[in-house]
Each structure stands twice: as structure tokens, then as C-alpha cells.
Amino acid sequence: MVLHRYWLHLSTIVLGLASPSWASFENTRVTRSVDLGGSLVYTTTTYNVKALEDGSNVYLFALTEKEQETTSWMEAKVKGHTAPLSLENHGLSHDATYYYSVALPKALDKDQTASLVLETVQAHAAYPFPPEAAQDDRQALKYDTDLFVLSPYKSLTQTIRFNTVGFPILGYTQPKEVAFTTGTIAAKSNSGGAIVFGPFSDLPPSSNTDFIEKHQQKISIFYEFGFPMLAIRSLRRAVEISHWGANLNIQDEIDLYNAGPKLKGQFSRLEHQTQVYQHRQAPHVLTELALQLPAGIHSAYYYDTIGNVSTSHLRIAPSASQGGLPGRSSLLELRPRYPLLGGWNYSFTLGWDSHLGDHAGWDAEKGRHVVGVPIMTLFGGAVVEDAEVKFVLPEASTDVEVFPPFSPSSFSSAMHTTYLDTTGRPLVVFKYKNLTDKHTGIIYIAYKVPLSAHLKKPTAVGIAFFSVFFVAFLWKRVDLNLEK
Amino acid sequence: MSSSLQPDYAAIKELHKTLPPFQPIIPVSLLPYLAYILLTLTFGLAFYFSTLPKGVAKESTVAILASILGGFGTVAMFCTVGVYV
């Protein structure tokens, strides 16, 4: 089960580590792989565990405070299986460690082994270093973490590997006086794009204040990153459903910014044009974006605070109902009005219409419609700090049920009035924080629309017309002639 | 309204894949023609109304008919010009 860090039904039971049930495992091997990116850092930790007593089935993962703060997505699985395990958040312990537990599909007896994989995505964990860069400088980032992976269980061996996306590692902390090792502490790969810390042997249970104070060390990885560090400060998605027009309109209001190193000095248009002409664009400058939009869309629009932005190219893929291949997407290439250098913002609105039949179906058994709309458009490598998804349903919809892929940080409903409305349309609002490319799920909403609801608009307009006729009717019967 | 997560989510996801696509009551391709015809009739009836002598029955009938046609014609016109109501 995918755990969202703003899980609404959070369990905040503080663990008593003295309980013998938590000492029922031993880590024979812990391997962490950290894929260093820009706004997002991906970690995959593999725990090879051995049961120390019969019937061991609840395993604990430990996170530091910083990991808890930056982690925006987390998933645990048994290695080799696709179905995620259900993670339960136990909150902050008295040892300043956050615990998450999983129930193994099958309890382990003494000396039986299993491999668990914990994947996380951290948002804004890496930061530009130096914080400023000139227009033609390279972009370098720094990632701070701890040397040892915390665990409430003894670990026989532990290794951490840091990988960059094909870019060189420029520097790293060389830990000193490290216990649990007799050989090389850190080794860089031949290509220069990876570094391994460890192996460390015979670590005692480490998720406690005693270990953290005596042995834990901070390490930093300093690496080059060759792509713009994108982040979206806010994303406001509005989805409007029309039954009369059989249309689904999606409109995104995006507040995009470049989280890379801030520009040192003044912006030089000459330098920028020279880089473009010579195809040596500075890596931290965003000049264009390619977005995948749904198939079968039409009437797309893209404008910012100044007006329509014509520097865009939309390649529409036909939807399945239009004879297209399933799974295809339309491609929108857009070029912001100006290049986005580090620290610069760009706010724009992107919207499109699509046939309602491509997103909604009719459930004849329950007499309801079911519509599915993605939470957001994916911006590769970007974190969406604050997202809001609004659904405007047809007027007089009833029995509305919502099915989000994961819990929102808040959910509300209201009424929304727009063209030709009388009683207004139901509005449901989902809010999310720190969405990443792992959060590209679909929200499903089921609702009923009685036939009488479809007649509300024509009736309202008809009454308006009739009132004009009524005024004319009365006007004919008013005699304004002066009597002789 | 109810908020449902796993396993209801898995169920609705599978259901959504199998449902027949939404079909409007009136095909969208007919809306422009419907708008033109209904609004033309509305304006014609409005002109005819203006020529009628006083008579509650006939005036009411013409007004109601024109209003009904105008109501549906306006909704069709809105959808035709891209304001999907």
C-alpha cells in the first residue's frame, strides 16, 4: 500500500522498544542505493532479514527526522513481488526516530529469511552548492545524509551506494574514525558517477540515541547535475464536466520555478542567445518543456499573465474511441516566454477540452456515471509542493462518491455556480502536498444525474425568455394615450 | 460523500475500465444544427407574438412555445460556441 506522508488516519503510538516482539529480526545485509537527482532523490533500501524467533511477522523500518521531513513517497515490498505491503506509521519515538511497520505476508519461523525493499522519494533533499552560479557556470548540488542506515535490529553488514544520472561526483565527505569497518570506507567508481560507503559489519541496533551520538556521522555528496532543477510551487487543477456538451475541460494553473542555483550577476541576453546558437545551453537554465497530455484532446490553450503564449506545439494522439492505440499520449512542447534561470518563476495556465466519453463511463447496474481524471500532468523530475484538484460536477448531481488513489491532505466539498446554473454544481476539492512522479494516480468519482437535472438549464433560460414575453403581454395592455 | 481507498479503489479502477463510454442524450454533432433551428423558430415566434391581437390563450401559447424552444436552443448554442454548460 502506498503511504502518503499526510495519511489521514495516522497512528501516533510511541513505541516501547523494550518490547521483546520488536527484537525478533536480524538484518543479515542492508544495502541502500541513492539515485541523486535535482528536486527529487530516490532511495532503495534492501533489507535481507532473518527471523530470530518463531512467528515473526512485523518488521520495523526506522527513519531519521530529516528523512521523515523530506520523504514524500514511500513503498515497501517483498523483493521480487509487485504488490506493496501496508505501511503503518508509528510516529516519533523517544529516540528521535520515526518508525514504520509492515506485516509480512507470511510469518517467519526462527532462522527463516526474507528480503524487503523500501523505496522512498525525497523532495528538496539536494540543494544547489554553491547557491549562486553565473549564466555559463555548471550546476552542482549537494546531498546531506547519515553514514549508517538506522534500524532497530542488529545489522551484520551494511552498504550505501550513491549514483548520479551519468554526471560526475565532484566531492564527498571522507568519514573519520568510523567503527564497524576495517577496510576502505568510501570507494568511487571508475566512471566517477557512483560512490560506495562500506561495507560496515556487525552494527548493533542503531535507531537509538546512544548509537546516534557515539557512531552516526553526517556525510555529504557533492555532484554535478545537468538538468534544470524544476519545482512547482502551486498547481491548481480544475476539472469541469458537461453532460450537455459531452465535454471534460481540464485547466491547470501552474506556478513553476527553477530551484537551481540563483543567477550570479545580471542576465545577459547576448550570452543566452550565444549559448542557444552554439548548442551549449547552461544545464540549469530551462528553455522549454515537453508535457504528455491525454490522447484525444482538442482546443488546448496556453497563456500566462501577459496573454496567450504562441510558442508551443501540440501533437494530438487520437484516443481509443477515435481509433487510436491505447496507452498513447498527446505531446505538448512549450517554450516559456523567457528562459527560466535559477530562482526565477514562471506562472502560466494550460488547459484543454476532451470528449467526456474518453474519461467517463455509464454504470447501468447502479445508474451512475464514473469519471476518472489524473491528479496532475507529470513534470519530469519536479516536485509539486502544493496541489489542489477541483472537480465541478454536472448541476444537481447526487450520490457523489470519491475514490482518490491515496489520501489527500484535505478534502472538501462546496457548490459552484457558473453559466446557466440555478442551484449550482457540486464541487469537490482535493489538496495534496509534495507530489512527485510517483503520485501520478487517477481520481475516480461516481455520481448520479437524474433526467430532471438535465432540464434545469433549458427551463431556466425558458423562464427568462417567458418573462420577456410576459412584459410584452403587459405592455400591450397599458394605455399611455392622453385622454382628450 | 464518502472517500474510499484500497481495496475500493482497486474495484472502481477495474469497473471504470469495463464501463461503456458516456453518451450524451443528444449527440454533440447535432447541437449546432439544433441551435440554429430552435433559435430561428424562437425569433420567428417572437415576431409572430408581436403581431398578435390581445388574446390570453393565443399569446400564452405562442410565448410558452417560443420560450421552450429558446431554452433548448440557447443551451445548444452555448455548447456549439465552446461554452460547455
Side-chain angles (χ1 to χ4, degrees), chain A residues 10-257:
Chain A
L10 198 60
S11 165
T12 54
I13 299 167
V14 175
L15 287 173
L17 289 178
S19 167
S21 63
W22 303 124
S24 51
F25 287 99
E26 176 184 78
N27 297 321
T28 55
R29 184 180 181 82
V30 177
T31 311
R32 173 168 285 180
S33 175
V34 180
D35 292 323
L36 298 167
S39 297
L40 301 175
V41 170
Y42 303 83
T43 75
T44 304
T45 312
T46 304
Y47 299 82
N48 294 322
V49 305
K50 185 172 82 172
L52 298 180
E53 51 192 51
D54 290 343
S56 302
N57 76 322
V58 177
Y59 184 86
L60 282 178
F61 298 108
L63 264 62
T64 63
E65 277 191 76
K66 189 183 174 200
E67 284 172 341
Q68 172 72 14
E69 193 184 297
T70 55
T71 298
S72 61
W73 180 86
M74 186 191 301
E75 187 176 85
K77 290 186 223 183
V78 174
K79 190 171 181 179
H81 292 216
T82 52
L85 300 173
S86 175
L87 272 165
E88 189 176 344
N89 185 345
H90 294 276
L92 181 66
S93 76
H94 58 277
D95 278 337
T97 306
Y98 287 83
Y99 287 100
Y100 291 84
S101 65
V102 289
L104 301 181
K106 194 180 156 191
L108 298 179
D109 288 331
K110 191 176 175 199
D111 294 333
Q112 281 191 319
T113 60
S115 284
L116 301 174
V117 178
L118 180 70
E119 294 180 1
T120 69
V121 178
Q122 297 175 346
H124 291 313
Y127 55 93
F129 189 81
E132 288 184 346
Q135 207 166 325
D136 57 354
D137 282 350
R138 70 180 176 192
Q139 174 176 241
L141 306 181
K142 204 170 175 191
Y143 176 74
D144 301 327
T145 187
D146 294 317
L147 181 61
F148 298 112
V149 177
L150 295 189
S151 176
Y153 313 109
K154 183 181 171 185
S155 301
L156 298 185
T157 177
Q158 207 179 91
T159 312
I160 301 185
R161 179 187 174 97
F162 296 90
N163 308 298
T164 61
V165 193
F167 299 104
I169 290 178
L170 304 173
Y172 56 93
T173 309
Q174 189 65 255
K176 292 186 171 38
E177 296 173 10
V178 177
F180 317 113
T181 182
T182 54
T184 311
I185 298 171
K188 212 168 162 184
S189 68
N190 290 336
S191 62
I195 183 163
V196 178
F197 287 84
F200 306 110
S201 309
D202 298 320
L203 277 76
S206 52
S207 59
N208 53 76
T209 317
D210 190 47
F211 179 94
I212 292 170
E213 283 175 2
K214 273 190 195 162
H215 304 294
Q216 187 66 286
Q217 291 189 41
K218 298 288 179 198
I219 55 173
S220 298
I221 312 296
F222 179 49
Y223 60 101
E224 192 171 323
F225 188 65
F227 300 107
M229 218 172 140
L230 288 187
I232 294 175
R233 199 169 278 118
S234 79
L235 168 66
R236 300 277 177 265
R237 168 164 279 200
V239 180
E240 193 164 317
I241 298 170
S242 165
H243 276 208
W244 271 106
N247 188 72
L248 184 97
N249 172 265
I250 295 177
Q251 177 167 302
D252 290 336
E253 292 172 9
I254 299 160
D255 183 6
L256 178 71
Y257 72 100

Side-chain angles (χ1 to χ4, degrees), chain A residues 431-447:
Chain A
K431 291 193 179 179
Y432 295 95
K433 298 274 185 201
N434 289 336
L435 296 180
T436 68
D437 50 2
K438 298 286 190 184
H439 293 101
T440 51
I442 295 179
I443 295 177
Y444 294 98
I445 296 186
Y447 59 94

Side-chain angles (χ1 to χ4, degrees), chain A residues 1 7 240 242-247 298 353 356-357 359-363 368-372 400-407 411 413 419-420 425 428 442 444 451 454-455 457-458 461-462 465-466 469 472-473 476-477, chain B residues 1-6 8-9 12-13 15-16 19-22 24-26 28 31 39 42-43 45-46 49-56 59-60 62-64 66-68 70-72 74-75 78-79 82-85:
Chain A
M1 186 180 205
W7 189 261
E240 193 164 317
S242 165
H243 276 208
W244 271 106
N247 188 72
H298 63 90
D353 290 322
L356 186 56
H359 299 271
W362 168 246
D363 182 2
R368 62 179 184 174
H369 300 277
V370 180
V371 64
V400 179
E401 288 180 275
V402 299
F403 302 89
F406 41 85
S407 286
F411 169 78
S413 61
Y419 300 105
L420 303 186
R425 308 182 191 201
V428 293
I442 295 179
Y444 294 98
L451 184 62
H454 290 98
L455 298 177
K457 291 186 190 0
V461 177
F465 271 104
F466 188 78
F469 283 112
F473 175 86
K476 275 191 196 177
R477 285 147 179 85
Chain B
M1 300 178 191
S2 67
S3 173
S4 303
L5 296 169
Q6 309 265 354
D8 290 340
Y9 183 81
I12 199 75
K13 187 177 174 183
L15 176 67
H16 183 261
L19 292 178
F22 170 86
I25 297 169
I26 300 172
V28 174
L31 288 178
L39 289 177
T42 302
F43 287 122
L45 284 171
F49 179 88
S50 68
T51 65
L52 287 174
K54 290 182 201 171
V56 174
E59 282 179 301
S60 302
V62 172
I64 288 169
S67 299
I68 291 171
F72 283 94
T74 301
V75 171
F78 267 66
C79 292
V83 180
Y84 296 102
V85 294

